Amino acid sequence: MRADESSAARPDPRRWWALTVIALAQLMVVLDSTIVNIALPSAQRDLGMSDGNRQWVITAYSLAFGGLLLLGGRIADLVGRKRAFVIGLAGFAAASAFGGAAATPGMLFGARALQGVFAAVLAPSAMSLLTTTFTDPRERGKAFGVFGALAGSGSALGFVVGGLLTEYLNWRWCLYVNVFIAVVAVLGALALLRDRPGHADARLDVPGVLLGCGGLVALVYGFSEAGPRGWADPLVLTAFLMGLLLLVVFVGWQGRAPVPLLPLRIVRDRDRGGCFLTMGLAIVGMFGLYLFLTYYLQVVLGYSPVRTGLAFLPLTASTVIGSTQISARLLNHVPPRALMAPGMVLAAVGMMVLTRMTVHSSYATEILPALVLMGLGMGLTYMPVFTTATAGVAPRDAGVASATLSTSQQVGGSIGTALLNTIATTSGAAYVTAHLTAPADRARVTAEGLVHGYTVALWWAAGIMLLAALAAALTVTARPPRRRAPTTATTHDKEQTLT
């Protein structure tokens, strides 16, 4: 073996410190998906957001993140993984600082969108760096275990940290905290990470980005404007029509683009396409839950931000239990859909239980059981979806398949938040109009109207989760992983693809 080959094959002696840097960046991205939820009621009061527009604090981030995630992977190929990682961190920090200093709702929405843009560059490069840093399969397994544990626990940490920062400082620190994390991660990346230069011949599918993102933005905008304008309003109908048209053109372009963002062979596979659909529908309901339950606990029941964050912990804990202790143990013995479909039904039942909440509900008897049921159901679903969606993928498509699954999550969250928020606000307003008979009753009727709007939206979320269960049952036909025939791609091929 030549000296340069021996050096390339030798493990990086600083790889475990490098894992700390990569994991810190991942933690920042995961934290940001939940930490802002707890701060949202305070931010809405401070900046004077309307109930119809508040969802853009969440949607702007998830839409930009999901819509540009596939492009982010291509950018990492073009400029190099380490450089993309540092650019993503620096941009995320700058966008967070801008959002923390926001003086108007528009500034905050723009900052959240910028966070999503840089997160889309950061996330794929972090995964790639993790793979290239740990070349030994056993060490790589441990590294991905740490990485996955942070992804699983980061959301719970976000609820708690968001509550603490909002209550004892103010909501702006839920964004400013990212600046400190990013600075430490950038310094660590410059000192510890190694990477090969980018590929100058890598190509970016700019038309695909414009068509795909444009279509998604138009759809989400249509859902958000349906509340104040009505579903039959010409602007709303035009937004829906333009969104669908752009997405149809996007699909057509991906079939003939030289280097498509989303090779259509990825989604033509029945099992994989079914997993993408199931995940997208499942996340529609979950993002709505985060939004409504946060407002219900803080505005209706009067919980503090810290208490609200702690109230979400059973949801995260039951999700981890459902995923690691139930689904992971059964997956090798039963078909994936035998876990996915019942998991979605269980989550839907949890949603239905939550629709019983009133302005005087008890957390222990009415909220907690619903959170446990939903967490177990989502945990049952997550593991087989991730495993099945990435199983048997050709080496050249391994990265894009994983990115497409993440995209379905973010896009589902964007559409779900906009749709369910519109349903909640319109239903709540209609309730107040119908039941307000005397000015003295305004406070009581307004609170009842808020809860009524939430429960109507939660019924819709439960229905969408049942639709996800149906999608899993009818489209995913894969056998248990242990019984599948071996694919032509060897382990070595897969590792070469990832690197």
Side-chain angles (χ1 to χ4, degrees), residues 273-446:
C275 286
F276 296 153
L277 179 60
T278 300
M279 178 60 79
L281 291 171
I283 297 300
V284 165
M286 288 305 295
F287 266 60
L289 169 74
Y290 290 149
L291 178 65
F292 303 136
L293 197 55
T294 297
Y295 274 85
Y296 175 73
L297 293 173
Q298 291 193 44
V299 176
V300 178
L301 295 188
Y303 280 28
S304 68
V306 171
R307 191 178 178 189
T308 300
L310 294 174
F312 275 101
L313 293 185
L315 175 67
T316 302
S318 56
T319 301
V320 172
I321 291 171
S323 179
T324 62
Q325 302 303 312
I326 303 176
S327 192
R329 295 174 185 269
L330 295 177
L331 186 58
N332 286 330
H333 306 285
V334 300
R337 65 178 174 182
L339 296 170
M340 294 162 59
M344 283 291 89
V345 171
L346 190 60
V349 170
M351 276 296 183
M352 294 175 190
V353 171
L354 202 58
T355 62
R356 297 169 53 246
M357 66 187 184
T358 68
V359 292
H360 303 295
S361 289
S362 166
Y363 176 83
T365 58
E366 296 176 67
I367 308 301
L368 179 59
L371 293 180
V372 172
L373 287 173
M374 282 185 286
L376 289 174
M378 295 302 291
L380 281 173
T381 304
Y382 283 151
M383 178 67 73
V385 163
F386 279 106
T387 302
T388 307
T390 55
V393 182
R396 59 178 175 165
D397 294 329
V400 73
S402 298
T404 304
L405 183 59
S406 297
T407 299
S408 70
Q409 292 177 273
Q410 298 298 330
V411 171
S414 302
I415 294 176
T417 302
L419 171 63
L420 296 177
N421 186 68
T422 294
I423 292 172
T425 53
T426 53
S427 299
Y431 181 94
V432 172
T433 301
H435 291 81
L436 184 60
T437 57
D441 295 333
R442 177 170 294 277
R444 176 183 59 82
V445 175
T446 299

Side-chain angles (χ1 to χ4, degrees), residues 140-150:
R140 181 180 293 171
K142 293 179 181 178
F144 270 97
V146 173
F147 199 76
L150 280 175

Side-chain angles (χ1 to χ4, degrees), residues 90-112:
F92 199 92
S96 299
F98 181 62
T104 64
M107 287 180 63
L108 183 57
F109 301 156
R112 291 288 287 163

Side-chain angles (χ1 to χ4, degrees), residues 19 27 67 99 158 218 276 283 308 391 395 409 423 447 456 482 487 491 495:
L19 172 62
L27 179 62
F276 296 153
I283 297 300
T308 300
Q409 292 177 273
I423 292 172
V456 171
R482 184 177 289 177
T487 64
T491 301
E495 290 175 5

Side-chain angles (χ1 to χ4, degrees), residues 185-199:
V186 166
L187 294 176
L190 295 175
L192 299 170
L193 296 182
R194 295 192 306 180
D195 185 37
R196 293 186 295 270
H199 303 291

